[in-house]
Structure formats: C-alpha cells, structure tokens
C-alpha cells in the first residue's frame, strides 16, 4: 500500500470516530438537555464504556477477569455489623476474643443489643448495581503524602476514608479537606465532625462497650491504656466493622500472616467491598524508604518501622498485587 493511501484510511477512520462521538453526544444532549455534559464528562464516559457490574469504566467486582481476586473476594460477607449478622460462629468469636486476649469479657450478645439501641441498625452500602459508580479515596497516613498535592483529587471522591489520628487541618493541599468515614479503635480515637461516619474496628467486647459509653455516659476511661471517655461524633453515623469480616480479611487476604491485619489493610478491604472504584493514597514508605506519619516531622521524630503485630511486607505485597490487577489505583506520592 502506498503512503498517501494509508494516510487517507487513517483520516477516514479518524473522521468516523469524530462522527460517531458527536452523534452520540448530540443524541444524548437532545434526550436530556439538562445534563451538564462537560461537568460530568468523565462520569459519562465511565458509563458509556460500562459493561460490568457497575457504572464505572472498570469495577472492583469484575470477577471473571482475575482468578487470584475471585478466589479471595467474597461479596456475601458484609463488612459492617448489623443486629442480624452480629451473631458470630464459635470459631469466629474465639479468634476475635484472642486478638487482644480479653480476660473477663462481658456478655457479647447483651452488649450488641445495647449497642443497637444507641447506634442505627442498618444494612449499608450493599447497593451495588450497573447504575452505581461509587468512587472512594482511602487515605493512609504515610509521610509520602507530604508535598504530594493530592488534596483536590482526594476531595473529588464520593467517599473519603481516613483512619486513626489523621488530621486534615494544615495539610489540606496534600490530603484534602473532606472526610466521609473515619476508621478508628478506642485507643486511636479522635473527635469527628457531624457529617463524618465513625467506623469502629472492635478488637474485643470492651471496645463495643466503649463506643456505647463514649457516646453516652462516658464511664469507660481505660482499656489497656487510657482512652477518650467521651467522643464527639454523630451517633446516627456510627458503624461497626464486623468481626466476621475482620476474620475473612485475615484468612482470605493475608492467609494468616501477622497476628492480625493493620487498620490500613482492614480499611482497604472495606473500601473494596463497598466501592466501585478505589483510589489509594498515603500507603507505604516515603521516597527515602522511611515509614512515618505525614503530620510528624520525619527529621525530628525519627522514622519508624511500625509493623509490630502486623505483617507489613505481606500486606503491602497484596496491596501492590491489587494495584497490578487494576482493582485499586495506588497514588504513591513522593
Ligand atoms: C463466602 O462466604 C459465605 C459466608 O461465610 C460462605 O458460606 C461461602 O461459602 C463463601 N463463598 C466462597 C466462594 O468462599
Ligand atoms: C447474654 O445476653 C443475652 C441477651 O441479653 C441473654 O439472652 C443471655 O442469657 C445472656 N447470657 C448470659 C450467659 O448471661
Ligand atoms: C454538614 O453537611 C451539611 C449539609 O451538607 C452542611 O450544611 C454543613 O455545613 C456540614 N457541616 C460540617 C461541620 O461540615
Ligand atoms: C513480596 O513480593 C516479593 C516479590 O514478588 C517477594 O520476593 C517477597 O518475598 C514478598 N514478601 C512477602 C513478605 O511475602
């Protein structure tokens, strides 16, 4: 084929693309002139290319494309506790009680009953459908966020999930301003604003008693360390990480590595189960290989390698694998 001919074909193909696209755009606009096409261009292109179980371009839960993921992912296990799913198998209860070796636990089912008199008993976020495209930002606490300027990207997500002490004030440019969900346990708790959901990870029956107390009478002041006796948080937006899901994360995703999963890893799996698209920020070490919090000055406090009871390397490997398989997108900062 001679060169001018090939160019002609290329031009023709390009023309065809343009015509198809403008026809699509035009007919879409005519059908619903109120659509703010350009504002939602990315959403629209997401649904235009949709072929799977959600309305995003690619959905976390497309199972057929990856056997490694399909083998581990189990959608029927709900990440958040309800009265109904709070009944634990003996095996799960034993495992969960062993996490922090609680000596004299209170009556679990009694505590759960009291808990759901204080916080709502709802099935949340299990509304996956071909029409839903829920984007989530999971924001870890790594120093690699410093100077990253991810703030506006993070803020543009539907859900923004932070954990433990994570502050935003003073770090907005790098970590954003909004928080829809804040994951914590009693020993890492902090006050939240009225629009943020508190997601409690319980490690023992006392942790469930603590959240009841912290939202009401404030009588529990100590677990294995002193804890906040009262917490500012919207009672109607408190959620409990399910012990059954906790065990599933440990067994299915970590294959029993470490004593139990870290808050970061538990939060990541929560997001994978309730979101259609997961962007991950602030995980892993910084550019110098140091592990520290973005709000702590590395040069003053000294970098630490905080793995402790967690197998940080194994968790990070699984996280990278999830990224390789396009289940999550990692933003590695600097
Ligand atoms: C998913 O979890 C449910 C509930 O624990 C269990 O019955 C089912 O066998 C699991 N499915 C797979 C594919 O592992
Ligand atoms: C625990 O609490 C439940 C519900 O309040 C109650 O039915 C049960 O008898 C209690 N079990 C024990 C051992 O006290
Ligand atoms: C909470 O959300 C409401 C409604 O969107 C808004 O008016 C209010 O300013 C928010 N409050 C805070 C503390 O962000
Ligand atoms: C992580 O993955 C690397 C490369 O795939 C492997 O060499 C290493 O042993 C893995 N580490 C753990 C803790 O599994």
């Amino acid at each position: 084929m001679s060169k001018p001919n090939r160019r002609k074909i290329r031009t023709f193909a390009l023309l065809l693309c343009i015509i198809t696209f403008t026809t699509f755009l035009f007919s879409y606009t005519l059908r619903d002139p109120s659509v703010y096409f350009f504002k939602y261009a990315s959403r629209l292109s997401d649904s235009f290319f949709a072929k799977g179980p959600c309305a995003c371009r690619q959905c976390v839960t497309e199972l057929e494309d990856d056997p490694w993921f399909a083998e581990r992912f189990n959608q029927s296990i709900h990440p958040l506790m309800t009265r109904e799913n709070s009944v634990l198998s003996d095996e799960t209860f034993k495992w969960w009680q062993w996490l922090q070796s609680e000596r004299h636990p209170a009556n679990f089912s009694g505590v759960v009953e009291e808990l759901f008199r204080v916080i709502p008993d709802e099935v949340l976020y299990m509304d996956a459908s071909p029409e839903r495209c829920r984007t989530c930002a999971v924001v870890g606490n790594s120093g690699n966020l410093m100077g990253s300027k991810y703030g506006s990207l993070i803020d543009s997500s539907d859900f923004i999930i932070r954990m433990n002490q994570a502050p935003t004030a003073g770090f907005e440019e790098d970590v954003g301003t909004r928080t829809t969900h804040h994951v914590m346990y009693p020993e890492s708790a902090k006050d939240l604003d009225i629009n943020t959901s508190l997601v409690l990870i319980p490690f023992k029956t006392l942790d469930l008693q603590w959240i009841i107390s912290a939202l009401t009478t404030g009588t529990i002041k100590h677990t294995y360390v002193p804890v906040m006796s009262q917490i500012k948080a919207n009672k109607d937006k408190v959620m409990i990480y399910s012990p059954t899901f906790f065990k599933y994360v440990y067994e299915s995703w970590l294959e029993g590595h470490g004593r139990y999963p870290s808050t970061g890893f538990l939060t990541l799996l929560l997001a994978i189960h309730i979101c259609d698209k997961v962007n991950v920020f602030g995980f892993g070490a910084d550019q110098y290989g140091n592990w520290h919090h973005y709000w702590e000055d590395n040069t003053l406090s000294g970098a630490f390698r905080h793995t402790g009871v967690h197998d940080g390397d194994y968790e990070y490997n699984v996280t990278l694998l999830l990224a390789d398989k396009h289940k999550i997108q990692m933003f590695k900062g600097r």
Side-chain angles (χ1 to χ4, degrees):
M1 202 187 281
S2 72
K3 264 186 187 157
N5 247 346
R6 210 189 294 162
R7 201 177 300 148
K8 243 183 243 165
I9 290 172
R10 221 183 293 147
T11 313
F12 179 71
L14 186 68
L15 213 64
L16 200 68
C17 279
I18 293 171
I19 289 169
T20 313
F21 185 66
T22 43
T23 308
F24 161 72
L25 195 154
F26 197 62
S27 63
Y28 196 96
T29 318
L30 278 186
R31 219 181 303 137
D32 184 0
S34 71
V35 165
Y36 297 108
F37 181 83
F38 290 104
K39 193 169 172 210
Y40 293 110
S42 91
R43 266 304 149 80
L44 194 68
S45 76
D46 273 351
S47 49
F48 181 57
F49 291 108
K51 53 180 165 21
C54 81
C56 306
R57 190 170 314 165
Q58 192 168 10
C59 312
V60 168
T61 56
E62 267 156 47
L63 295 178
E64 63 278 10
D65 64 349
D66 191 88
W68 176 86
F69 185 82
E71 207 173 283
R72 287 160 179 77
F73 183 79
N74 188 339
Q75 194 148 35
S76 72
I77 304 174
H78 289 197
L80 300 169
M81 197 195 256
T82 60
R83 234 191 217 107
E84 195 184 335
N85 74 23
S86 70
V87 180
L88 307 181
S89 71
D90 282 350
E91 203 195 333
T92 301
F93 187 68
K94 245 187 231 148
W95 177 82
W96 183 70
Q97 281 289 308
W98 163 84
L99 294 178
Q100 291 188 350
S101 333
E102 193 171 22
R103 290 279 165 76
H104 304 290
N107 178 345
F108 180 81
S109 54
V111 171
V112 167
E113 209 160 283
E114 197 187 338
L115 175 69
F116 285 116
R117 283 200 289 266
V118 176
I119 68 166
D121 175 22
E122 289 173 308
V123 177
L124 289 169
Y125 311 137
M126 294 291 120
D127 55 346
S129 88
E131 279 77 52
R132 190 187 81 175
C133 175
R134 177 182 294 143
T135 63
C136 297
V138 177
V139 188
N141 293 333
S142 166
N144 70 26
L145 283 169
M146 276 201 293
S148 67
K149 305 235 187 325
Y150 285 147
S152 52
L153 182 58
I154 290 172
D155 278 342
S156 71
S157 311
D158 296 324
F159 284 7
I160 295 141
I161 311 175
R162 304 182 196 272
M163 52 202 90
N164 298 335
Q165 287 296 305
T168 53
F171 305 93
E172 292 88 346
E173 211 182 352
D174 293 333
V175 309
T177 58
R178 299 174 54 222
T179 306
T180 61
H181 296 76
H182 204 111
V183 179
M184 57 177 74
Y185 46 92
E187 297 81 7
S188 76
K190 65 176 272 177
D191 289 333
L192 302 178
D193 81 49
I194 190 142
N195 293 327
T196 302
S197 297
L198 188 164
V199 182
L200 178 79
I201 303 183
F203 291 83
K204 49 193 176 301
T205 307
L206 181 58
D207 294 352
L208 299 177
Q209 293 171 280
W210 171 80
I211 191 68
I212 299 169
S213 161
L215 293 168
T216 57
T217 57
T219 49
I220 298 177
K221 299 173 163 58
H222 197 275
T223 58
Y224 56 85
V225 291
V227 291
M228 289 175 81
S229 61
Q230 297 215 281
I231 190 163
K232 236 192 278 162
N234 187 339
K235 256 188 239 180
D236 295 329
K237 285 178 171 276
V238 174
M239 308 165 188
I240 311 293
Y241 201 96
S242 156
T244 304
F245 189 81
F246 196 148
K247 183 160 179 279
Y248 149 77
V249 171
Y250 179 65
E251 290 179 345
S252 260
W253 291 94
L254 293 182
E255 293 172 42
H257 285 83
R259 187 167 165 91
Y260 48 80
S262 67
T263 310
F265 196 77
L266 289 166
T267 304
L268 180 63
L269 264 295
L270 167 69
I272 284 173
H273 277 254
I274 68 176
C275 307
D276 299 306
K277 177 165 175 46
V278 179
N279 290 337
V280 178
F281 303 86
F283 273 53
D286 70 7
Q287 58 185 328
Y288 308 108
N290 294 326
W291 299 68
H292 62 103
H293 295 139
Y294 64 79
W295 61 90
E296 289 166 342
D297 189 337
N298 191 21
T299 54
L300 290 180
S301 67
F304 62 92
R305 180 135 181 82
H306 182 77
T307 53
V309 295
H310 313 304
D311 191 336
D313 292 331
Y314 197 86
E315 288 188 357
Y316 197 60
N317 267 11
V318 174
T319 307
L320 293 180
L321 265 177
L322 285 164
D324 276 353
K325 294 168 184 302
H326 306 291
K327 296 300 180 187
I328 62 175
Q329 192 174 350
M330 292 277 279
F331 292 81
K332 294 192 178 171
R334 39 196 307 263

